[in-house]
Amino acid sequence: MSRTLSINEIFFSIQGESTHAGRSCVFVRLSGCDLRCTYCDTTYAYHEGSKLTLEEIIRQVESFDCKLIEITGGEPLLQANVFPLMKQLADKGFEVLLETGGHCDIAQVDPRVQRIMDIKCPSSGEAGANRLQNIEFLRATDQVKFVVGDRADYEFAKQTILQYGLSDRCPVLLSPVFGQLDSKQLAEWILADKLPVRMQLQMHKYIWPPDTRGV
């Protein structure tokens, strides 16, 4: 029997975040998440989706004629068949990114995949779910992301970055919660502390209306 995944959407757009921001990218959004972050902008992916075989997914991905692929969600690592999907995509020569919430084990992800891992800050309501053991598996090709909603979140991120030497392991990204924390304020905090991070904004929310799906 063919292996399947519950897929929310597959679409072609501009990468809005990470060190790959601005690049054309195919997004494969998986359904389902066991976290409920206060600022989540993809709540529609909690339950909406349809079953597709790995072959069907790869066929759709190949139709866009783009080599950069991001596997996202929801939380993609909740579905076991995402691991062979990522392997098959890497085998076909795609540059594969994985966006994960940071509460699932990342150790079994194909080493060719670039993992973009959240560490949840307190205002997300899900900081208790952080799987900090994942830090030891981070490679230079990976990235860590903190979504900052207020000063307490920023202090949490700063402490975590320094405590675990995160910036020595891989790029570290800080972004403001869209519509909640002023980006200028976050920039000033980073500059005042000379924090070794990359500040990012969600580029796609400035190109299209923030609630637009499939972009």
Side-chain angles (χ1 to χ4, degrees):
M1 180 180 294
S2 295
R3 291 176 289 192
T4 64
L5 285 166
S6 181
I7 299 296
N8 177 264
E9 56 185 347
I10 299 175
F11 60 96
F12 181 52
S13 188
I14 295 295
Q15 177 61 255
E17 302 182 68
S18 80
T19 62
H20 299 280
R23 297 179 64 189
S24 301
C25 183
V26 178
F27 293 84
V28 180
R29 186 182 304 285
L30 276 65
S31 304
C33 188
D34 52 350
L35 300 183
R36 292 295 182 267
C37 296
T38 56
Y39 50 74
C40 182
D41 55 5
T42 51
T43 57
Y44 56 87
Y46 289 168
H47 307 294
E48 295 178 19
S50 56
K51 294 287 186 183
L52 294 177
T53 66
L54 301 194
E55 293 75 19
E56 289 171 329
I57 296 166
I58 291 171
R59 191 155 50 245
Q60 287 194 41
V61 165
E62 289 178 327
S63 73
F64 293 106
D65 193 25
C66 175
K67 283 299 184 182
L68 182 66
I69 313 297
E70 177 169 297
I71 309 297
T72 185
E75 173 47 62
L77 295 186
L78 293 177
Q79 299 188 57
N81 283 334
V82 75
F83 295 97
L85 173 65
M86 291 187 288
K87 180 181 184 303
Q88 289 183 38
L89 288 169
D91 287 344
K92 286 178 172 289
F94 287 102
E95 183 179 2
V96 184
L97 314 178
L98 167 70
E99 187 163 6
T100 176
H103 61 295
C104 296
D105 187 357
I106 66 171
Q108 302 308 311
V109 175
D110 189 290
R112 294 169 293 179
V113 173
Q114 301 173 51
R115 301 168 297 191
I116 303 167
M117 186 186 82
D118 271 24
I119 295 181
K120 303 297 185 184
C121 294
S123 77
S124 71
E126 294 288 2
N130 287 324
R131 183 185 175 91
L132 296 177
Q133 303 97 305
N134 279 332
I135 291 174
E136 67 179 282
F137 300 115
L138 292 171
R139 300 183 297 266
T141 53
D142 296 323
Q143 301 177 33
V144 172
K145 180 176 73 172
F146 294 86
V147 180
V148 178
D150 54 27
R151 180 72 195 201
D153 281 0
Y154 173 77
E155 292 296 334
F156 170 85
K158 180 173 71 171
Q159 178 183 347
T160 306
I161 291 163
L162 298 177
Q163 179 179 347
Y164 291 96
L166 289 180
S167 59
D168 294 326
R169 293 176 178 268
C170 64
V172 179
L173 315 167
L174 261 64
S175 60
V177 176
F178 186 85
Q180 178 176 323
L181 177 63
D182 180 60
S183 56
K184 177 174 177 286
Q185 179 66 82
L186 179 57
E188 289 174 349
W189 292 339
I190 291 170
L191 291 170
D193 289 331
K194 298 182 174 60
L195 203 62
V197 300
R198 177 190 294 245
M199 181 175 163
Q200 65 171 12
L201 304 176
Q202 293 177 295
M203 182 185 294
H204 51 289
K205 292 184 178 179
Y206 293 88
I207 301 173
W208 296 280
D211 58 353
T212 305
R213 291 175 58 166
V215 298

